[in-house]
Amino acid sequence: MGNRIYNILFHTHTVSGIVISVALYVIFFTGSFSFFRDEIANWQRGHQTSEQDAIVGSMDEYLKDIAKDHNLFGRDVEISHYFNERRVNVSLGASKDSLAADEDKARTFFYLDTEDKSTGTYVESYHLGEFLYRLHFLDQIPYPYGRYLSGFVAFFFLFAIITGILVHWNKIISNFYVFRPWAKIKTLWTDAHTALGVIGFPFQFVYAVTGAFFLLKGILVAPLVLGLYDGDQNKLYEDLEYNHPVYAYHHEKLDKNIAIDHLIAKTKEDWPDFRLKEAHIFNYGDTNMHVAISGYLGYTSKLNGLGHRIYKVADGSIIEEKVPMTNNSYLDGVKNMMFRLHFGDYAGYGLRVISFVLGLVSCFVILSGIMIWLVARDKKNIPEKRRIFNYQVANWYMAICLSLLPVTASAFIIVQFAEEVNRPFLYRTYFPIWLVVSLFFIIKKNIGFTNKWTLISGGILGLLVPVANGIASGNWMWATYANGQQQIFLVDVLWLILGIVSLWIAFFKLNASRSELAPAKD
């Protein structure tokens, strides 16, 4: 590789990395916890669910519970379950009955708890797991700007990791083995950035590609919609099989008891290991009422086993079906694999724990890149004002990024003692605390101090998370382990280990001299 090409790649890697570093750190840090979004939700509520993220229980009973407060006649009713929680999503379309009351002609969405039958809106049912999951693609920024921002961050991150690999290509094997964690802190940054960057390259590449795909597809498909579909977005969604079919409303009441459990049972009998994800009812109570049953085969049976079957309720006939055992369409394979690769949910807790660790390793790679950038510009031949400016940039970056650890740990403790946790509550607590902690370390103007005390405070608070859970709910770790409450136990164990590791690093690995982490003179 010539010097000119090397310099272009090196500067592309440096500039793209430093520009997106803060947003990328937030994405990876909160994304690591997002692997356990459902476990965090159940930990917060003290719930234990099955390991299957499918609808369990009687669909007929759920419809009866919904009908107590909502008139379903003439409506499209969708009950779905996409996260491993007790609650199912209920979406009610506008009634097609011309004689329906005004309130029945409005769309409605809410959650239904399958055990205590309580309901709640999205805002009311918001939990810490959902908050971190949304923060990892910056969804708290008004739609769609936060998603587009995180999508472009993922896109430029793809540039950063590819150029990084190319820059180190000639020494990729030797650099892979050069990692001196017991050396001085500057050496640790350089070795960690190269060695851990190479180790995490496949993981980071997958998440850069899939993240950019999910968050920028709205922009990417716009030319396709205009060019091939004459601006008809619905036609594109039909070809991508995102839209449900349409069945005419006959304005005639169905003269039979409405029951769909036997249709679901028949589907599961025909398709062994089928997991129900969604039941969509068209024209509830009408003679032209249909039911679409959608789901997938367990991943041990088939990784891309997506399927659905549509019944006509009046006679129980099968109108349409996609058999998951034989369904091997390229479209379904691409759609499903992009999700499975990004969520890492196809190989149980083992893969998600590995992904969690690799996500935090990627955070360390980002931080080490910031410090390498700072050290490379802290030289005598660089003007003093520029050196001070560079230090302040790094100081801001490190304060914002590193404060996420104690702030997130404190959020886990707060939600255990709060009387009511919803979206406004989490917004009012998490962001102000993050702002105050970040400003404190920014004003301190000492990266070494920031590094050490975010780890110490985060480590101590992390160790207190299982204690807070035990005091507030009685779900002590030994009790949840004995009772088989794996999801609650897992979250406590993760924080226990994270707290111990943070304190170990703070007390035994950050004994660097003041000159290595001291601020530039101002």
Side-chain angles (χ1 to χ4, degrees), residues 179-428:
F179 184 45
R180 294 157 286 185
W182 310 108
K184 61 181 182 179
I185 196 71
K186 286 183 180 179
T187 305
L188 174 61
W189 293 331
T190 304
D191 289 352
H193 193 73
T194 53
L196 296 180
V198 171
I199 292 172
F201 172 76
F203 171 85
Q204 294 160 7
F205 180 82
V206 166
Y207 280 88
V209 172
T210 55
F213 169 79
F214 288 134
L215 297 164
L216 296 180
K217 61 183 178 182
I219 296 176
L220 297 176
V221 302
L224 182 65
V225 172
L226 293 175
L228 298 181
Y229 293 90
D230 296 325
D232 189 354
Q233 191 175 36
N234 286 329
K235 180 61 177 174
L236 171 64
Y237 288 156
E238 288 176 7
D239 288 348
L240 293 176
E241 299 180 1
Y242 284 130
N243 286 352
H244 288 291
V246 177
Y247 295 98
Y249 184 65
H250 286 180
H251 299 273
E252 297 179 13
K253 190 172 183 179
L254 183 64
D255 188 20
K256 64 179 296 186
N257 292 327
I258 298 175
I260 64 175
D261 279 352
H262 68 286
L263 301 177
I264 296 173
K266 177 176 172 54
T267 305
K268 291 183 176 181
E269 181 181 353
D270 294 341
W271 300 340
D273 200 25
F274 182 73
R275 317 289 177 83
L276 178 64
K277 297 287 288 184
E278 177 186 298
H280 190 99
I281 302 172
F282 306 86
N283 307 321
Y284 187 94
D286 188 70
T287 53
N288 200 33
M289 176 178 171
H290 290 70
V291 177
I293 297 169
S294 306
Y296 68 101
L297 297 181
Y299 298 135
T300 56
S301 298
K302 188 178 180 182
L303 185 58
N304 281 317
L306 303 178
H308 70 263
R309 178 179 282 180
I310 300 178
Y311 291 93
K312 185 173 182 179
V313 177
D315 56 14
S317 60
I318 299 174
I319 303 301
E320 176 186 318
E321 71 176 358
K322 177 184 286 187
V323 182
M325 289 78 74
T326 59
N327 171 34
N328 295 296
S329 70
Y330 176 77
L331 175 62
D332 283 336
V334 171
K335 289 195 300 183
N336 187 52
M337 282 309 300
M338 292 293 275
F339 277 101
R340 300 289 69 78
L341 288 172
H342 195 81
F343 288 110
D345 59 356
Y346 54 88
Y349 283 133
L351 179 60
R352 285 195 281 161
V353 169
I354 292 172
S355 299
F356 176 82
V357 173
L358 288 174
L360 296 182
V361 166
S362 300
C363 291
F364 189 79
V365 172
I366 296 167
L367 295 179
S368 61
I370 295 173
M371 295 311 300
I372 291 172
W373 175 86
L374 174 62
V375 171
R377 285 154 183 78
D378 188 23
K379 297 179 180 178
K380 294 182 179 180
N381 61 331
I382 296 178
E384 185 69 17
K385 288 185 178 180
R386 187 177 298 177
R387 292 172 61 191
I388 294 174
F389 174 78
N390 292 338
Y391 185 88
Q392 292 303 327
V393 170
N395 180 49
W396 276 68
Y397 282 12
M398 296 293 283
I400 296 171
C401 294
L402 288 170
S403 59
L404 268 176
L405 176 61
V407 171
T408 303
S410 66
F412 274 78
I413 296 173
I414 291 172
V415 297
Q416 283 295 336
F417 295 101
E419 292 184 3
E420 182 182 8
V421 177
N422 51 32
R423 187 168 68 180
F425 174 81
L426 287 169
Y427 280 27
R428 291 195 306 265

Side-chain angles (χ1 to χ4, degrees), residues 453-497:
W453 285 102
T454 52
L455 285 170
I456 293 176
S457 59
I460 293 173
L461 290 170
L463 293 178
L464 291 176
V465 169
V467 178
N469 185 30
I471 294 173
S473 65
N475 291 322
W476 295 99
M477 291 182 63
W478 53 86
T480 55
Y481 177 80
N483 296 333
Q485 297 172 293
Q486 297 177 356
Q487 295 159 337
I488 301 175
F489 179 75
L490 178 63
V491 175
D492 285 339
V493 168
L494 284 176
W495 271 113
L496 184 64
I497 296 175

